[in-house]
Amino acid sequence: MSSFRYRPEILEGVPERLTQNLKQFEDWFVLDAAELKKITDHFVAELEKGLTKEGGNIPMNVTWVKSSPSGRELGRFLTLDMGGTNLRVCDVTLSEQKGDFEQTQRKFKLPQEVKSGTGEELWDFVADRLKDFLEENPTGAQDNTSVPLALTFSFPVDQKNIRSGILQRWTKKFEVSGVEGEDIVPQLEAALARKNIPVDVVALINDTTGTMIASHYRDPQIKIGSIFSTGTNAAYMEECRLVPKLEGYGLPEDAKVIINTEYGAFDNDRQILPFTPFDHQIDSESLRPGTQLYEKMVSGLYIGEMLRLVMVKLHEEGRLFQDKDITRLRESNVVDATFLSIAEIDTSEGLDDMRKEFEGLFNFSPAVDEMKVCRYLTGLIATRAARLYACGIAAICKRNNIRECHVGVDGSVFNKNSGFKDRASQGLRDILDWPVGEIDLIALNASEDGSGVGAALAASLALKEADQIKTTIL
Ligand code: GLC
């Protein structure tokens, strides 16, 4: 029996005419322990398939990060983080004391036209912002010495080494032409050369890899780095001898490597996930139908739209906002994940914060009882997202016989709403059958700085490895 309970308390006192047909939404969105276990078992098989030469839905990309930082990494690194809403530029200095570092950073919003323009425009934008940053924060390097730079690029790339990567496909509503199927490092380098910026790109990593490195640096019990944000994904350290697609690379028997799972692509062949009509609609109206199907059910970029579709359906069934003009609510993507967080943490009697959101976003003010229904629906959608998120983490643990560990999780969905952590932890408990009263054996811990310190450490490891290779050849 699942110990999971959805929380209908918010509906107490709400008139029946508003709650009558909510049962169908519970049927769609509530997932019990048995369903989560079935999904997780299929997930394990798919992770396995991704490691074979033939591959599967889940890319299981080899990152070529083969060791963990020792704590003795030193030096100054520039890092660029591109992959969601913002471009982040950091200047990180790792100092002798383990875990001690200095960091200066600046964030720039990535304009929509850059996310859907040409590759050259994208990389020029990135190089220009780096130039702005360097003008404000000079590195002090002599003109002819290049500063090492690590790029966190949060999309699936096929890597043959840590300083190159071919973009497999855009995700998260990016649609920049001329980049898919290409190595992105020479594209960035060409833009840096065009702008005369003397930096040396030494590492290309994913945000999950950066999170894994940064959080493991502080807490050796970390075995998984994960993002629960605009997108959803995880990375973990794998033994190379268990990765069939690494056969023939001549790696030492005991070698390990971080795998960036890219598991947002789980179940693209629609074998197991409990798709609702809303999931089908979100997918078919997306830029890339049939891709990232798991991510579309879980991540911040889509759960707001899910709530919007549900509210519109209830309006059409004559249940919600009957006397209101819902023109604004009919606009795609007008609701984002922040709306869900605000709705969930608003405990005021009149749901005042939620009302402000309604007025600001949709131009109308609902009755309190109607907002209670919306808050209930928000709970259903957010709980489903968190419990499905738990399936991915549980699958990595099951596949690798990890009974106990810490997971470093970064991302706005996870950090802005503590409800997500509790629900995802409950999901893990249901899937992994922890004894009642036992603490969380797989602990989800908030982590940050994957793209600052994590990327700087990856750059330092990459330089060290390049040095070792040079010494061996000499
Ligand atoms: C998408 C990207 C992946 C990234 C994740 C979180 O799933 O494909 O590379 O890690 O979003 O940002």
Side-chain angles (χ1 to χ4, degrees), residues 68 98 120 134 152 163 182 195 204 242 267 289 293 299 302 358 365 377 382 399 404 409 438 448 456:
S68 301
K98 181 172 178 179
E120 202 166 295
L134 289 174
T152 303
R163 59 170 314 285
E182 303 293 329
K195 311 279 170 185
L204 166 64
L242 302 179
D267 209 31
L293 294 191
S299 78
Y302 306 97
F358 265 96
S365 183
L377 295 165
R399 151 111 204 354
E404 221 175 316
V409 190
E438 179 82 83
E448 48 183 30

Side-chain angles (χ1 to χ4, degrees), residues 121-299:
E121 284 159 3
L122 170 70
W123 299 117
D124 277 346
F125 175 84
V126 172
D128 281 332
R129 297 298 79 77
L130 177 60
K131 197 164 195 167
D132 295 344
F133 178 84
L134 289 174
E135 272 161 18
E136 281 167 28
N137 308 279
T139 60
Q142 303 300 324
D143 281 355
N144 54 357
T145 45
S146 299
V147 183
L149 177 139
L151 170 65
T152 303
F153 184 71
S154 307
F155 299 95
V157 291
D158 183 13
Q159 296 190 271
K160 292 288 168 258
N161 56 58
I162 194 171
R163 59 170 314 285
S164 70
I166 294 174
L167 175 62
Q168 292 164 319
R169 80 197 65 81
W170 286 116
T171 55
K172 299 181 289 193
K173 301 190 183 171
F174 273 66
E175 199 59 70
V176 180
S177 61
V179 190
E180 273 181 339
E182 303 293 329
D183 189 342
I184 59 162
V185 173
Q187 295 199 350
L188 170 62
E189 285 174 334
L192 295 170
R194 280 197 291 278
K195 311 279 170 185
N196 241 331
I197 307 176
V199 296
D200 187 12
V201 185
V202 297
L204 166 64
I205 60 164
N206 186 258
D207 51 358
T208 52
T209 310
T211 301
M212 164 91 192
I213 299 173
S215 43
H216 184 272
Y217 185 60
R218 295 197 183 95
D219 169 9
Q221 290 193 62
I222 293 280
K223 295 211 164 128
I224 299 172
S226 170
I227 303 287
F228 192 173
S229 185
T230 314
T232 300
N233 190 14
Y236 70 101
M237 190 63 101
E238 179 63 273
E239 293 181 46
C240 296
R241 64 184 175 85
L242 302 179
V243 181
K245 63 183 174 189
L246 282 177
E247 262 166 42
Y249 277 80
L251 296 166
E253 181 58 9
D254 59 350
K256 292 187 175 174
V257 73
I258 293 182
I259 299 287
N260 162 24
T261 64
E262 287 294 334
Y263 68 29
F266 170 58
D267 209 31
N268 280 352
D269 53 358
R270 299 176 200 271
Q271 298 288 310
I272 192 95
L273 288 172
F275 298 104
T276 66
F278 311 104
D279 296 301
H280 291 304
Q281 188 173 344
I282 285 182
D283 179 48
S284 66
E285 289 171 1
S286 70
L287 286 175
R288 304 276 177 118
T291 66
Q292 302 294 101
L293 294 191
Y294 173 68
E295 182 162 83
K296 285 173 184 160
M297 296 173 95
V298 172
S299 78

Side-chain angles (χ1 to χ4, degrees), residues 1 44 49 54 74 83 104 130 141 178 192 202 215 224 252 319 326 345 359 372 376 392 410 419 436 452 460 470:
M1 234 325 252
V44 173
K49 216 192 258 176
E54 302 70 39
L74 284 177
T104 316
L130 177 60
L192 295 170
V202 297
S215 43
I224 299 172
R319 302 281 162 196
I326 71 150
I345 51 187
E359 289 168 353
K372 286 187 175 169
Y376 174 65
D410 198 357
V436 178
S460 163
K470 253 193 244 153

Side-chain angles (χ1 to χ4, degrees), residues 24-38:
Q24 60 176 311
F25 294 93
E26 283 157 28
D27 293 344
W28 274 318
F29 289 109
V30 175
L31 298 174
D32 66 14
E35 282 167 284
L36 296 187
K37 284 179 181 166
K38 248 172 57 194

